[in-house]
Amino acid sequence: MTPSVSVLMGSSSDETVMKMAVETLRGLGVECETRVLSAHRTPDALRDFVTEADRRGVRVFICGAGGAAHLAGAVAALTTRPVIGVPLVSPNAVAGGLDALLSTVQMPRGVPVATVALGEAGAANAGILAAEILAIGNDELGGRLRMLREGMAAKVLAG
Ligand code: RP5
């Protein structure tokens, strides 16, 4: 069966952070697949994968990349499915990842990327946001998202 979400990352060195998106999705019962593909190093393979994933019925793309982080933008150029961009802090990051944040968020009008926070918090939120998109018209998933929120609130209030 085609997973609902493709989680892409620009390098295997992004895996530790991007697994937060995967774990969040799986925790919510959302099927996903992961691939390492780069806008710069493997442009042809990226185009082939996104075109095929779109055809298979993947509904949301999550893309994590650092530095000149063009992965999410390149994917958004190839599909009209929602694309969520996770800016990552690469080893040679400028200003703590501001380079990746701006590269991901500053898309031209007409080709949006929903950009989340940097790093692990962003990767987890990308998983939640993808689930929220899929929960439109899926009450069961919506219920699991509400439970996640209630669990967070209970933890805060318990001190
Ligand atoms: C980006 O450059 C990747 O997404 C990664 O965050 C960063 C460094 O990649 P490697 O040189 O470790 O492969 O393209």
Side-chain angles (χ1 to χ4, degrees):
M1 199 171 113
T2 295
S4 306
V5 182
S6 275
V7 178
L8 308 181
M9 60 204 88
S11 166
S12 54
S13 64
D14 299 327
E15 246 156 16
T16 320
V17 175
M18 290 309 291
K19 79 171 193 286
M20 293 305 301
V22 174
E23 285 171 9
T24 302
L25 286 165
R26 295 206 171 130
L28 287 162
V30 176
E31 292 290 320
C32 66
E33 61 187 4
T34 61
R35 287 286 184 293
V36 176
L37 286 165
S38 164
H40 308 120
R41 292 168 174 157
T42 65
D44 294 336
L46 179 66
R47 172 183 285 274
D48 290 349
F49 178 82
V50 176
T51 307
E52 181 55 27
D54 200 314
R55 200 173 292 142
R56 277 189 287 124
V58 166
R59 295 166 73 190
V60 182
F61 292 87
I62 293 175
C63 305
H70 298 137
L71 181 61
V75 171
L78 295 166
T79 181
T80 54
R81 307 281 187 189
V83 177
I84 302 169
V86 186
L88 302 176
V89 185
S90 64
N92 66 342
V94 172
L98 186 60
D99 48 2
L101 175 62
L102 294 178
S103 302
T104 307
V105 77
Q106 285 288 60
M107 288 296 291
R109 185 184 300 206
V111 187
V113 166
T115 304
V116 292
L118 277 159
E120 283 198 1
N125 276 351
I128 294 171
L129 181 55
E132 288 178 351
I133 292 167
L134 295 168
I136 297 168
N138 181 339
D139 291 344
E140 210 182 302
L141 180 54
R144 290 200 286 275
L145 282 159
R146 277 190 295 280
M147 275 174 58
L148 180 69
R149 287 284 174 98
E150 283 160 17
M152 279 190 276
K155 255 193 210 159
V156 173
L157 295 173

